[in-house]
Every structure is written in structure tokens, then in C-alpha cells.
Amino acid sequence: MSSRPMRNILVTGACGQIGSELTMALRERYGNEHVVAAGHRTPPPDDVRDSGPFVYLDVTDRQALEEVVEQFQIDTIFHLAAVLSAVGEQKPDVAWRVNMNGLYNVLEVARTRSLTRVFCPSSMAVFGPSTPKENTPQETILSPTTMYGITKVAGELLGNYYVQKFGVDVRGLRYPGIISHKTPPGGGTTDYAVAIFYDAVKYRRYTCFVREDTVLPMMYMPDAVRAAIELMEADFRRLTRHADYNITAMSFSAGELAREIQKHIPDFVCEFQPDFRQAIADSWPRSIDDSVARTDWGWRPAYDLPAMTVDMLNALQTRYQQGQL
Ligand code: NAD
């Protein structure tokens, strides 16, 4: 399998929650001109649009994808364009079309053009109600009940198939909920763990859409970005998995998160009014066993709940004082 270097990188979904930060980290590491950011409908953050090549691309349009890959001599794709769990339940047809056709197009371009490597994140949404909920193993039952989860299981299988059948170097990991303060999340079930910080800083109140005792695995964005880059830079020969590594950083209930914020903002009040996203959250693990990622490519998270909370509040309070929220 290829040990060729990653030289010219395309990031799809580059204006999304993860893409907007991963793009900047990749430009820092590989050079601004070598990282092409592809946006779609989400407005581009200024730094992503202005610090290097920027294009608009619908990943379901194979021809348009081919043209971008050709124009910029792309050898590596970080494929982040997707429709997430909550939006996917409201528009299952769009989730299927974008998540499956988009990934298929990316994998076919990688196969036919012999690209060096492809990153396609999966999600803890591959697990379902019948999966063990505590310390969910790497190898376990994948029976999701959401369209998003179904596309992620199929995406993992497809990625692994392209490795075995065609020798394409496809790598992916099952992100837990990602918490960050730069770009708002795009319609997932763990969005409450981000929105709670914004509302705590702005209003001192938040109405949470899952129950207080809902525990889910989470990760702070600097760890999520580092995980993607470390997996993509790992020696292929050390990888015992391909498109489906379990990873996690922390697990906490919505109530524990609210109390952690109250340590810094004592008058913060959080109410709990579950909506349709509660059922999605209830179908997912409470904690995840990521020991295979730790052994294979040295995965270690840096942020736990207290450290993440301090960093989130500092960043958002600064922006609030500057009138940017
Ligand atoms: P996001 O919704 O913030 O960003 C996805 C981007 O894809 C959006 O900016 C959207 O405009 C774009 N997009 C949608 N349809 C498109 C199309 N047809 N063509 C091109 N672009 C299109 O999502 P994110 O949180 O940045 O997620 C990135 C990846 O990580 C996804 O594969 C997602 O499933 C995975 N993931 C995210 C989380 C999380 O908590 N954020 C957790 C697990 C997995």
C-alpha cells in the first residue's frame, strides 16, 4: 500500500464545523497553496476563503469533483461533506444522496486517479440500540436506527471494500460528538453540547433538547483535528483497521455539562425539554473503547470535560465582549 506523501489536499465540506478548523490546521502543516477548501452552501469563514485556494463543489456532482481534482493536481481528499443525524432524520432522502453518492464519487475518483489517500470520517451513529452502551467495543453490533447511521455503516463498509478490492488507502474514524467554538455545528444530535456554551455566555440560560441524564461520548475540536491528521500520517503497515476506528475523549451527561459551566458562571440556568433528538441520543453509546486506535496509531485525547469547558468559555466570552456573538 502507498507510502507516498500527501502533497495536494482537497477538503470537502470545508466550511462546516470540522472542515473549517481542519482546513486551517492542514494549511499550517502542508502550506496554504497545497490545501484546497471546497465549500457548498454554508457561508465560508473568512480565513478558510482567503488563506488558500477556495472552490464551490457539490460532491454529488462527479464531473465537478473530477475537475477540481484535475485542476489542483489533488492526491489526497479529506471528505467531510455530509448531512448529519438530526437533519438526516428530517430529510432522509438528502442524507442518503449526499452521504452515499458523495462518498462513492470520492472513492471512485481516488481509485481511477490512483490518489495517495482518502479520509472519510464515520460516527458513533453507526451503533444502535442493540449495541453494548458502555465501553462500546471496536468490533460490535452495527444496527443503527437513523438514516445518518445507516449511511455511516455503509460508508465504512464501502471504504474497507476499496482498500481490499482496489488498494485505495482509505482511512476513517468514528467521531463522537464534536464540541467547538469557531463554526456552529451543522444539525447533529450532540449540537446541545455546543449550543449550551453560546447561550450560557449570551443569556445565562439554555433549554437543552435532551434529558439531563443523557450521557454521550464527546471530543473537543483540537483533539478531533489532531486525530484526523495523526491517522492520515500513520504508517499504513501499523493499521489493523481502515475506515472505522473507534475514538473518544470524554463522556458526560447533559446535567454534568451544565454543572461544569455553573462552576464558571454561577447564575447559569439550564432547563431540559427533550425533543425528537432524544430518541437518537438514546440509541447511541454512553462510552466508547478506543484502545485499538491507541495501540495502532498512538491516539491520546488531550482535553477532558473541565479543560474543554474552560477553553470554550474563554473563547466565547472574548468573542462576546468584542461584539462577535
Ligand atoms: P457540518 O454539517 O458542520 O459540515 C458538513 C458540510 O458539508 C456543510 O458545510 C455542508 O454545506 C456540506 N455539504 C452538505 N451537502 C453537500 C454537498 N452535496 N456537496 C458538498 N458539500 C456539502 O458537519 P461536520 O460536523 O463538520 O462533519 C464533518 C464530518 O464529520 C461528517 O462526515 C460527519 O458525519 C462527521 N462527524 C461529525 C460529528 C460532529 O459532532 N460534528 C460527529 C461524528 C461524525
Side-chain angles (χ1 to χ4, degrees), residues 10-308:
L10 171 66
V11 183
T12 71
C15 301
Q17 187 193 6
I18 299 175
S20 62
E21 303 211 32
L22 182 59
T23 297
M24 298 310 294
L26 289 170
R27 284 186 175 158
E28 176 92 34
R29 205 164 167 81
Y30 290 93
N32 289 354
E33 293 311 309
H34 294 283
V35 180
V36 180
H40 185 231
R41 292 194 184 146
T42 313
D46 291 349
D47 57 354
V48 171
R49 189 194 50 215
D50 299 338
S51 64
F54 181 84
V55 297
Y56 285 99
L57 174 65
D58 179 344
V59 293
T60 65
D61 182 343
R62 168 83 179 268
Q63 185 60 37
L65 177 64
E66 296 269 7
E67 283 167 15
V68 171
V69 168
E70 176 72 30
Q71 183 189 347
F72 294 95
Q73 294 297 296
I74 297 298
D75 54 57
T76 300
I77 301 178
F78 283 72
H79 176 49
L80 302 182
V83 171
L84 272 64
S85 57
V87 175
E89 282 315 277
Q90 284 164 335
K91 299 177 185 167
D93 53 333
V94 181
W96 178 265
R97 196 167 52 78
V98 173
N99 296 3
M100 295 318 310
N101 296 357
L103 176 61
Y104 185 73
N105 286 340
V106 166
L107 292 174
E108 275 295 281
V109 167
R111 177 181 74 80
T112 55
R113 293 174 176 266
S114 303
L115 298 194
T116 299
R117 211 158 291 147
V118 173
F119 176 74
C120 49
S122 185
S123 162
M124 64 172 164
V126 294
F127 304 119
S130 54
T131 308
K133 286 209 179 306
E134 301 289 349
N135 220 16
T136 301
Q138 175 69 51
E139 193 69 62
T140 187
I141 301 162
L142 304 180
S143 246
T145 47
T146 61
M147 178 55 93
Y148 176 66
I150 290 167
T151 65
K152 287 296 178 185
V153 173
E156 288 184 357
L157 294 171
L158 202 57
N160 289 337
Y161 180 80
Y162 270 69
V163 177
Q164 276 132 29
K165 176 91 175 172
F166 303 121
V168 180
D169 186 353
V170 184
R171 306 185 185 192
L173 32 76
R174 295 168 173 160
Y175 277 131
I178 306 299
I179 298 170
S180 68
H181 55 76
K182 178 179 175 183
T183 304
T189 301
T190 54
D191 288 10
Y192 68 87
V194 177
I196 193 171
F197 285 100
Y198 281 80
D199 284 15
V201 168
K202 285 200 285 189
Y203 312 121
R204 304 279 195 264
R205 291 193 84 81
Y206 179 62
T207 304
C208 182
F209 58 75
V210 297
R211 280 191 322 270
E212 186 172 1
D213 64 355
T214 305
V215 176
L216 286 172
M218 302 276 180
M219 181 176 292
Y220 195 34
M221 184 62 85
D223 280 335
V225 165
R226 190 169 49 80
I229 294 174
E230 285 180 4
L231 173 59
M232 286 292 273
E233 292 182 351
D235 183 345
F236 182 86
R237 290 165 301 186
R238 293 196 54 190
L239 303 182
T240 60
R241 319 282 310 187
H242 298 293
D244 57 5
Y245 275 101
N246 275 11
I247 56 162
T248 189
M250 55 187 114
S251 280
F252 50 77
S253 70
E256 282 168 326
L257 176 58
R259 288 190 287 282
E260 191 65 32
I261 292 171
Q262 280 160 349
K263 289 180 188 169
H264 306 275
I265 305 176
D267 59 344
F268 171 58
V269 176
C270 189
E271 292 172 318
F272 299 88
Q273 287 178 17
D275 67 12
F276 74 99
R277 290 168 281 194
Q278 183 68 54
I280 304 177
D282 287 343
S283 75
W284 289 352
R286 292 160 60 91
S287 59
I288 288 173
D289 174 5
D290 61 4
S291 52
V292 180
R294 287 171 184 259
T295 304
D296 282 10
W297 45 280
W299 164 243
R300 294 277 179 289
Y303 286 86
D304 59 8
L305 174 60
M308 179 271 290

